[in-house]
Amino acid sequence: LHNQQHLSIILNTLCRKAAEAGGVHPLYIDELSTRFAVLIHEVYSVGDVSALSREMIHKYCLLVKNHAMKGYSAVTKEIISYIDFHYMEDLTLNRLAEMFNISKTYLSNLFRRETGVTLTEYIHQVRMRKAITLINSSALPVAAIATACGYNDINYFTRIFKRTYGLSPKQYQKSVMHGGV
């Protein structure tokens, strides 16, 4: 068991380096790496270590898939990082263009060309991922979740959520409570 735990620590380090080489922001890597470091020391059987190692590889792959910024310009990387860590703030094309001292048209075209989605679509994606996380891990009311995700208008939040997931936030929340999702 002890040897398997050591191998998992090595695997965690290798996955961490691979995610870094894949262009993932260090804060995301540190969060995942730290979580796995704790879990490695909490396993009590070789089978658990094997299952954890498989989960580790899967989670790091998802991390790179969802947060890799390799091939993006410096401006796009900065904007993505800013959105990822400030999604709860009032984020608009005007505000971001002003903050990064570039024109709205240039920012809009550059972002879409490099990421394949508009700036607004990306902001909604980040906020919707956070909304799902909050619904799955808390009992907060929908209004509180909307606010925590950067939406001041609950009706707008509900429309975006339903468009993204096919259910209203309340319907999704009920299905999670009843084990349906």
Side-chain angles (χ1 to χ4, degrees), residues 135 140-147 154 157-158 169-170 173:
I135 290 172
L140 290 172
V142 172
I145 291 170
T147 302
I154 191 166
F157 169 74
T158 300
K170 283 192 185 295
Q173 202 170 37

Side-chain angles (χ1 to χ4, degrees), residues 75 79 92-111 119:
V75 171
I79 290 170
T92 63
L93 175 63
N94 288 342
R95 183 161 184 254
L96 291 167
E98 197 174 287
M99 284 177 62
F100 289 91
N101 202 26
I102 53 180
S103 79
K104 295 183 300 185
T105 305
Y106 177 74
L107 171 57
S108 179
N109 291 335
L110 177 70
F111 197 88
L119 188 63

Side-chain angles (χ1 to χ4, degrees), residues 2 44 47 53 80-81 103 180:
H2 197 65
Y44 296 106
S53 294
I80 287 172
S81 290
S103 79

Side-chain angles (χ1 to χ4, degrees), residues 10-60:
I10 293 167
L11 178 62
N12 193 20
T13 302
L14 292 172
C15 287
R16 186 185 165 93
K17 292 289 187 189
E20 188 178 317
V24 176
H25 195 285
L27 287 175
Y28 289 120
I29 298 170
D30 286 344
E31 182 181 316
L32 189 61
S33 176
T34 301
R35 197 174 99 228
F36 279 118
V38 170
L39 290 173
I40 289 167
H41 293 289
E42 292 178 351
V43 293
Y44 296 106
S45 74
V46 173
D48 288 345
V49 175
S50 293
L52 184 62
S53 294
R54 285 190 301 277
E55 181 187 352
M56 189 184 312
I57 291 168
H58 178 72
K59 294 290 185 180
Y60 273 105

Side-chain angles (χ1 to χ4, degrees), residues 80-92:
I80 287 172
S81 290
Y82 188 85
I83 293 167
D84 287 352
F85 296 106
H86 296 91
Y87 60 85
M88 71 296 293
E89 295 175 10
D90 181 31
L91 299 174
T92 63

Side-chain angles (χ1 to χ4, degrees), residues 9 32 37 46 52 100 102 106 112 115 127 129 133 135 149 156 160 164 172:
I9 291 168
L32 189 61
V46 173
L52 184 62
F100 289 91
I102 53 180
Y106 177 74
R112 183 169 192 135
T115 65
R127 289 174 170 173
R129 282 195 302 263
T133 300
I135 290 172
C149 294
Y156 185 58
I160 299 297
T164 304
Y172 183 88

